[in-house]
Amino acid sequence: MFVLINLKAYPCDPVEIAEIAAEVAETTGVRIAIAPQAADIASVAQIGVETWAQHVSPVEHGSHTGSTLAEAVSRAGADGTLLNHSESRLRLADIDAGLRAAERANLETIVCANNPRQIAAAARLDPDSVAVEPPALIGTGTPVSKADPQIVTDSVEAASGVPVLCGAGISTGEDLDAAGKLGAEGVLLASGVAKADDPRSALEALVDPI
C-alpha cells in the first residue's frame, strides 16, 4: 500500500512531518510520500522522503505567469504530482496536458476523480494511478470505504488495470485496511496526519495494519 499525505495549505511544519514520514517509512518499510506546498518541495525533498507536488500546470516553458511548471517542481526534488484534486479541478483536456507535462519532467502521476465514471475517463488518459475521492467526504473523518464501499470497488473496475488509491476521510489503520480489501493499492489523506495533535502517532497507527 502506498500512503500519500497531502499537506494542502494547512498550518503544519512540512519539514517536521517529512522527517516523521521518512523515519516511519524506514522503520516499517511502507512507501510513504509527502505532498507539500510548491514552495516547500525543496526543503521536504532534502529530508529524503518521497516528495510529490500538489499540482502542476498544463503548460510548457513560456509566458505562463503564476503557473506551476512541471520541470520546476522536478528540479526542486519532486518525484510525482497530483492532478485534478477536487480543490484544484481541471478540464479533461488540461488533465491530459498536465499528464504530458509531468511525463516530460519524469514525474509519477495520480489523477484524482470524484466517482467511478470520472475514474474511467481519467484512466484512459494513461496516468500512473488514479484516486477516487468523493468531495463530500474530504476532511470529514468518514472514509469512502465505510460511507459507500461500492464507489471503491466500482472505481477499481472502471480503472481497467490502472492502480487505484482511495481518498476522502482516511485517517486510521482500519480505513487503510478496508481500502486495501476493496481493491485499492494505496490511500491519499491529509488532515488525518497534517492536522493531528501527534502526527507521528497518527502515521504509525495508520500504517500498522500493513
Side-chain angles (χ1 to χ4, degrees), residues 5-207:
I5 304 166
N6 179 9
L7 302 185
K8 300 192 176 183
Y10 289 141
C12 58
D13 183 340
V15 171
E16 178 186 8
I17 293 182
E19 289 172 342
I20 291 169
E23 291 167 7
V24 174
E26 182 176 1
T27 300
T28 63
V30 176
R31 183 187 176 192
I32 302 173
I34 301 292
Q37 287 280 300
D40 295 319
I41 287 173
S43 57
V44 167
Q46 287 175 358
I47 301 302
V49 70
E50 185 174 338
T51 305
W52 281 56
Q54 296 180 8
H55 168 80
V56 296
S57 301
V59 299
E60 301 182 10
H61 287 90
S63 302
H64 303 294
T65 301
S67 296
T68 302
L69 190 66
E71 287 83 354
V73 301
S74 178
R75 286 195 303 272
D79 303 292
T81 184
L82 295 172
L83 289 169
N84 198 48
H85 189 278
S86 64
E87 296 162 357
S88 185
R89 300 297 300 275
L90 299 170
R91 297 175 302 172
L92 195 64
D94 287 336
I95 296 173
D96 189 36
L99 287 168
R100 304 292 78 79
E103 184 178 3
R104 292 195 315 267
N106 295 314
L107 296 171
E108 190 175 343
T109 52
I110 296 171
V111 174
C112 301
N114 295 351
N115 55 52
R117 179 177 56 82
Q118 292 182 13
I119 286 287
R124 285 195 290 271
L125 298 177
D126 198 28
D128 293 299
S129 302
V130 290
V132 58
E133 286 198 308
L137 296 176
I138 292 176
T140 64
T142 301
V144 63
S145 55
K146 286 184 179 178
D148 194 346
Q150 190 171 349
I151 288 181
V152 183
T153 54
D154 286 354
S155 293
V156 171
E157 181 177 356
S160 301
V162 176
V164 175
L165 280 73
C166 183
I170 300 292
S171 60
T172 69
E174 181 183 357
D175 300 338
L176 184 147
D177 188 50
K181 289 177 179 176
L182 293 170
E185 297 188 26
V187 293
L188 177 61
L189 72 153
S191 58
V193 171
K195 295 178 71 175
D197 292 335
D198 186 344
R200 181 183 298 276
S201 295
L203 184 54
E204 288 175 341
L206 179 77
V207 303

